[in-house]
Structure formats: C-alpha cells, structure tokens
Amino acid sequence: MLVAEIRDICSVQDAQGFSGPARVSQGKSIAARLAVWASGFSLAGGSQPVAAKKRRTDKGEIWKRRFGGRFYKSDSTPSPEPYRYRERFWLFNFERDLPVEGGCLYLPVRRGWCLNLPLRRSLLP
C-alpha cells in the first residue's frame, strides 16, 4: 500500500502543488550521466528539496518540478502496457514502471526514445 502522501498525489483530479524531500538515483554510466546533464534532470543525491505542480488534462497530466534547484516540465500519458506510463521531456520520451515497495513508489525508466528513435539502455537516466 502506498503512503498517504503518494496516494494524495495520485488522486489529484484538477491541479495541485506538492513539496518535500526526495532521494534521486540515476544510471552510473558516462552516457547516462551525460543524458541527465543534457536533459536537465535532477542530479543523484539524498534528501533534495522538491516542489511539484500537477495538472490533469484530457490526455494525461502535466508536471512542473523543481528538484534541488533544477526545473523541468513533462507531459505524462498512459502506456499501452499495464502498470506503466510514458513521460515526455523536451525531445525525450520515457516509459516508466510503477512498482511500490515498502509504501514507496519507485519510477524506474523501462525504455526511452529521443526524437522517436529508441535509446540504448546505457543512455537511460
């Protein structure tokens, strides 16, 4: 079962903002680190301040996030695969799993595309 804070985020029907601490992890290869840098994603680290705004649309959700001083926007839509979703950041589109472990929601990247071309696994953030 998800912790109350994650259930609240998942139940937003219109628009809402959230804030708190987060731990960020990422791929360890040079290519993955380069992809994180180029995309403006959050750097790996524990207990980073996070602020996020979520707005539902007819097609999915629009997220605006600030992780430890880095800001980015994404558009999320359902994936054709169950228990996954797709999230678009600028030229990148990622499909993510939604596993829950110990009341925490993890968002591992399953696969990705840049300009609709598949990305190698070593390039995934």
Side-chain angles (χ1 to χ4, degrees), residues 83-124:
Y83 305 107
R84 294 187 190 156
Y85 72 100
R86 292 194 175 165
E87 192 164 17
R88 185 172 51 82
F89 303 89
W90 192 49
L91 303 175
F92 298 93
N93 197 5
F94 299 105
E95 186 171 82
R96 303 179 89 159
D97 286 331
L98 294 165
V100 176
E101 296 175 19
C104 294
L105 179 64
Y106 293 84
L107 303 173
V109 176
R110 179 89 167 165
R111 57 188 175 157
W113 302 264
C114 181
L115 297 172
N116 291 325
L117 298 172
L119 293 173
R120 296 175 62 133
R121 192 151 198 60
S122 62
L123 293 175
L124 298 177

Side-chain angles (χ1 to χ4, degrees), residues 12-122:
V12 171
Q13 295 301 313
D14 186 28
Q16 193 166 346
F18 305 92
S19 64
R23 184 177 68 232
V24 178
S25 60
Q26 65 190 39
K28 305 221 182 301
S29 71
I30 292 173
R33 290 179 186 191
L34 182 60
V36 168
W37 174 82
S39 64
F41 289 145
S42 307
L43 300 175
S47 195
Q48 297 183 36
V50 175
K53 291 183 181 178
K54 174 183 170 182
R55 183 171 57 87
R56 288 212 188 243
T57 68
D58 292 344
K59 296 180 182 179
E61 301 169 346
I62 296 173
W63 282 84
K64 294 181 181 179
R65 302 175 183 89
R66 187 172 8 106
F67 276 77
R70 290 183 173 226
F71 174 82
Y72 55 93
K73 175 185 167 284
S74 69
D75 298 298
S76 297
T77 56
S79 168
E81 300 291 324
Y83 305 107
R84 294 187 190 156
Y85 72 100
R86 292 194 175 165
E87 192 164 17
R88 185 172 51 82
F89 303 89
W90 192 49
L91 303 175
F92 298 93
N93 197 5
F94 299 105
E95 186 171 82
R96 303 179 89 159
D97 286 331
L98 294 165
V100 176
E101 296 175 19
C104 294
L105 179 64
Y106 293 84
L107 303 173
V109 176
R110 179 89 167 165
R111 57 188 175 157
W113 302 264
C114 181
L115 297 172
N116 291 325
L117 298 172
L119 293 173
R120 296 175 62 133
R121 192 151 198 60
S122 62

